[in-house]
Amino acid sequence: MTYATVLRKLSEDGFRQTKARRAIIELLIVSKNPLTIAEILRKLSVEFSLAVDKTTAYREISFLLEKQIAREIDFGDKKKRYESNIGDHHHHLVCTNCGKIEDFELKQDLQEEEKRISQNKNFKVTSHSLEFFGLCASCQ
Ligand SMILES: [Zn+2]
Ligand SMILES: [Zn+2]
């Protein structure tokens, strides 16, 4: 799905497209790294000249999470980050020294494990999130 497809789908489903909503979707798609709310607010102001208050940003993000346009990532540093959920499925390599984040695709993803969980635990897996922590090339 692309930015245009997302917008078309939202309007087909009858959802409003405020400037803030469109800008946040675009930010998440374009950004190379998952963004915190503070970073989203800063980028909205600098790159889109949009003054969006925190409450609105949180509301928009929860809307995008609910629609599975965005996903939430927890790197264990008590900050929630958000990224687009409409590209390729991937994981993250997080440098615990400098904070650099890289995307990483597993050679074999976890479908087998998800199946096993469903069978053994009677738990319907709808998604998963997996991050790797360590030291990047320049921090080793
Ligand atoms: Zn590093
Ligand atoms: Zn995966």
Side-chain angles (χ1 to χ4, degrees):
M1 254 201 298
T2 62
Y3 176 62
T5 327
V6 174
L7 293 187
R8 180 151 26 90
K9 178 119 198 354
L10 282 179
S11 73
E12 278 168 11
D13 294 346
F15 293 106
R16 284 184 315 134
Q17 293 186 12
T18 58
K19 268 189 192 164
R21 180 167 294 169
R22 298 168 74 116
I24 292 173
I25 295 172
E26 193 179 333
L27 273 182
L28 294 181
I29 290 177
V30 169
S31 175
K32 289 202 176 67
N33 286 321
L35 301 171
T36 62
I37 288 280
E39 288 165 340
I40 290 172
L41 290 174
R42 195 168 51 234
K43 280 176 182 281
L44 285 175
S45 139
V46 175
E47 295 171 25
F48 292 80
S49 307
L50 273 183
V52 175
D53 60 79
K54 230 179 179 173
T55 318
T56 308
Y58 273 112
R59 202 177 47 226
E60 286 303 325
I61 286 291
S62 40
F63 173 81
L64 298 178
L65 289 173
E66 193 188 304
K67 297 288 160 229
Q68 302 199 323
I69 293 167
R71 64 183 194 121
E72 187 176 286
I73 301 154
D74 188 346
F75 291 144
D77 60 357
K78 301 218 163 72
K79 286 184 204 158
K80 289 192 160 67
R81 290 180 173 79
Y82 303 93
E83 74 172 4
S84 155
N85 191 34
I86 57 181
D88 293 337
H89 175 76
H90 62 265
H91 300 274
H92 299 100
L93 310 180
V94 184
C95 178
T96 51
N97 189 51
C98 71
K100 187 175 169 226
I101 297 158
E102 238 185 292
D103 291 351
F104 190 78
E105 269 177 57
L106 293 183
K107 222 173 182 177
Q108 289 183 308
D109 214 303
L110 303 169
Q111 283 86 353
E112 283 303 315
E113 291 301 320
E114 291 190 348
K115 231 185 276 165
R116 221 163 55 87
I117 292 168
S118 316
Q119 284 161 358
N120 299 351
K121 291 287 184 188
N122 189 25
F123 180 90
K124 190 182 181 316
V125 178
T126 51
S127 71
H128 68 254
S129 164
L130 172 64
E131 341 303 339
F132 298 87
F133 298 92
L135 295 172
C136 76
S138 36
C139 290
Q140 285 170 34

